Amino acid sequence: MEDVTNSAFRTLCYKQGADLTFTEMVRVTNLAKGKKGELEKIEIPDSTPAEIQLAGSKISDYEKFLANFKPSNGFRGFNLNLGCPSPDLIRQGIGAAMIKRVTRVNEIVKVINRHGFECSLKLRLGLNNYEKEKGTYLNMIKNIDASFFAVHARTAKQNSDDPADFSVYAKCVDTGKQIVANGDIRTQKQILELKQIGLFGAMIGRAAIHHPEIFKELKID
Ligand SMILES: Cc1cc2nc3c(=O)[nH]c(=O)nc-3n(C[C@H](O)[C@H](O)[C@H](O)COP(=O)(O)O)c2cc1C
């Protein structure tokens, strides 16, 4: 989470039981240009397991950035952001606008894999309800070979007060891929329900900001 998941916070969450943490989203264009502030955001200075979250669609930016990238101890892979609803990103066809761009996402995942790194995806259900109903997110999940798919169960049009739609997860799990649920997860009852549906994991955002102990409290075997 932007301005939240720096390395100190990630380590705090890990010590409280989080299995995997994520850097905030960073634009790969800025990394390719070697922008110092952006490169600092993706530093993983300790052994806390973390994925680096990237946004961007230009293959040449990925190639340029990855050519100089040296993984550190805690690094577990990259996570592509296909969910950011910021109008600025959407205008550029990235963030949540990438949910439809299966061919390009496939190319990006392949480039990352070719450099020897795992790649997961974080996606919303579509830009709007029309895309959600068309199953845009399912098309992406079915057609991409990613290490896992973190599904934020809202469209990009919805705001964070609209309830996440837990009913989509069963369809996601039916694809046979590893699905991580995200959105409004706060209770162990939810975790148990998600496990029963066949979810591979649960991603917790806002509920951890002031209460990182949530990872310990919600952990199940
Ligand atoms: C302050 C803040 C910053 C966020 N930054 C990011 C981000 O950089 N990348 C991302 O994928 N999601 C980001 N999100 C979205 C969350 O990761 C998550 O998908 C969303 O809040 C729903 O999950 P939750 O109900 O557990 O918070 C951010 C959310 C908040 C509140």
Side-chain angles (χ1 to χ4, degrees):
M1 289 181 282
E2 197 172 15
D3 293 332
V4 179
T5 56
N6 60 18
S7 92
F9 184 73
R10 295 196 305 266
T11 298
L12 181 60
C13 293
Y14 178 58
K15 287 191 171 155
Q16 292 295 331
D19 297 307
L20 181 62
T21 66
F22 299 82
T23 69
E24 64 181 282
M25 180 188 80
V26 177
R27 303 274 293 266
V28 72
T29 306
N30 293 334
L31 299 175
K33 286 182 187 148
K35 288 200 176 166
K36 199 165 164 273
E38 301 295 290
L39 286 163
E40 278 168 11
K41 287 183 187 167
I42 64 161
E43 276 173 13
I44 305 172
D46 57 22
S47 56
T48 295
E51 289 201 347
I52 293 173
Q53 194 185 63
L54 301 175
S57 65
K58 270 177 80 180
I59 297 294
S60 56
D61 285 341
Y62 284 90
E63 292 283 16
K64 198 164 174 205
F65 160 62
L66 289 166
N68 298 313
F69 176 74
K70 306 255 179 311
S72 61
N73 211 5
F75 174 76
R76 291 290 181 278
F78 291 101
N79 175 266
L80 285 190
N81 183 307
L82 312 184
C84 181
S86 148
D88 178 40
L89 269 73
I90 292 189
R91 261 194 306 274
Q92 295 174 49
I94 60 177
M98 290 276 275
I99 302 169
K100 289 188 287 292
R101 303 181 66 187
V102 175
T103 307
R104 178 54 57 95
V105 171
N106 190 33
E107 283 170 327
I108 296 170
V109 172
K110 290 234 155 68
V111 168
I112 290 173
N113 292 161
R114 189 160 41 73
H115 281 265
F117 307 121
E118 296 228 324
C119 185
S120 63
L121 303 188
K122 172 142 186 282
L123 59 150
R124 290 202 184 215
L125 304 176
L127 271 180
N128 47 38
N129 211 39
Y130 173 73
E131 286 191 6
K132 173 184 170 184
E133 295 307 322
K134 268 186 24 191
T136 312
Y137 60 108
L138 291 170
N139 194 42
M140 177 63 74
I141 295 169
K142 279 179 197 155
N143 288 296
I144 301 293
D145 223 358
S147 49
F148 64 84
F149 300 80
V151 179
H152 178 184
R154 289 189 176 90
T155 68
K157 268 269 158 60
Q158 290 182 290
N159 66 46
S160 49
D161 296 335
D162 296 324
D165 181 1
F166 280 48
S167 75
V168 298
Y169 294 133
K171 281 179 261 183
C172 296
V173 169
D174 281 348
T175 62
K177 303 287 179 81
Q178 294 202 305
I179 309 295
V180 172
N182 172 241
D184 296 346
I185 298 172
R186 291 189 168 80
T187 66
Q188 202 171 62
K189 183 168 172 277
Q190 290 171 315
I191 300 281
L192 292 168
E193 280 165 11
L194 293 168
K195 189 175 182 193
Q196 199 143 41
I197 300 169
L199 273 289
F200 167 66
M203 175 187 271
I204 296 175
R206 289 167 297 173
I209 296 179
H210 297 293
H211 190 62
E213 297 87 348
I214 193 165
F215 294 106
K216 185 170 57 195
E217 291 165 6
L218 301 198
K219 197 121 186 168
I220 54 168
D221 293 331

